[in-house]
Amino acid sequence: KPSSATPAPATPEPTPEPVKRPAEEALEEANEDDSEDEDFDLLPEEKEPTLGSGFIEEEPTEKQLEAFGRWKQEAQDSLEAGDVKTSLERLTEVIEGGGGSALMLTKRGELLLKERRPLAAIQDCSAALQLNPDLGKAYRVRGIAHRKLGKY
């Protein structure tokens, strides 16, 4: 004779926690940290004229290459010394002289943002992206500049 008793309910198996790979953990930690550029202060649009994006010289002369190298080194040295204005001037000389690159335009955009000039930073980063659309740093700096202007 069959038993009319109902079988006892099975205890549910605990679901295992997803295993996190080291890259995922590092990404989560990076998202938790506040970066130095996330201060969320809005900046007014600057009144100073924007800087020229320069041009890329097909084949710079040896004299130009020496000058570009000297200016790049001066820009780096002044930046390390905390002199953003001089660094900005030297990068501008290289860019306007035809020795600029997408990365250099992005670096100048970053310095312009530090000088509270978001419109000029956006212009430099946009010019950099025309030269190299895969340059993530240019997207990042341009996005920060837009955020500083309240353009979300």
Side-chain angles (χ1 to χ4, degrees):
K1 159 172 168 178
S3 166
S4 62
T6 58
T11 57
E13 292 284 323
T15 56
E17 295 223 3
V19 177
K20 289 186 181 180
R21 290 171 279 178
E24 291 175 343
E25 289 174 2
L27 183 60
E28 282 184 12
E29 287 174 16
N31 288 339
E32 290 171 5
D33 294 340
D34 288 328
S35 80
E36 63 189 39
D37 50 37
E38 291 187 7
D39 57 3
F40 300 108
D41 289 336
L42 293 181
L43 296 175
E45 291 187 11
E46 71 262 20
K47 304 292 185 232
E48 297 177 49
T50 57
L51 303 172
S53 298
F55 60 96
I56 304 299
E57 189 73 38
E58 290 296 323
E59 285 295 320
T61 65
E62 194 159 317
K63 197 173 211 174
Q64 286 175 318
L65 285 174
E66 288 175 18
F68 295 158
R70 188 175 61 251
W71 290 335
K72 287 177 190 178
Q73 187 60 49
E74 288 174 10
Q76 183 63 34
D77 292 344
S78 58
L79 188 59
E80 288 173 1
D83 187 2
V84 175
K85 204 162 217 52
T86 302
S87 183
L88 198 54
E89 289 170 3
R90 295 301 169 261
L91 286 176
T92 300
E93 288 172 351
V94 174
I95 291 167
E96 289 178 349
S101 65
L103 194 57
M104 192 173 298
L105 282 163
T106 302
K107 184 63 178 173
R108 187 174 75 169
E110 198 172 30
L111 294 176
L112 286 165
L113 197 53
K114 285 184 180 181
E115 289 290 303
R116 305 179 67 79
R117 296 186 57 197
L119 291 177
I122 290 169
Q123 179 182 349
D124 273 5
C125 290
S126 294
L129 290 168
Q130 286 180 344
L131 294 173
N132 182 358
D134 297 327
L135 190 58
K137 184 174 182 178
Y139 285 108
R140 180 181 155 272
V141 173
R142 187 173 70 173
I144 292 168
H146 277 291
R147 187 184 70 217
K148 297 277 188 184
L149 290 171
K151 297 178 181 178
Y152 304 105

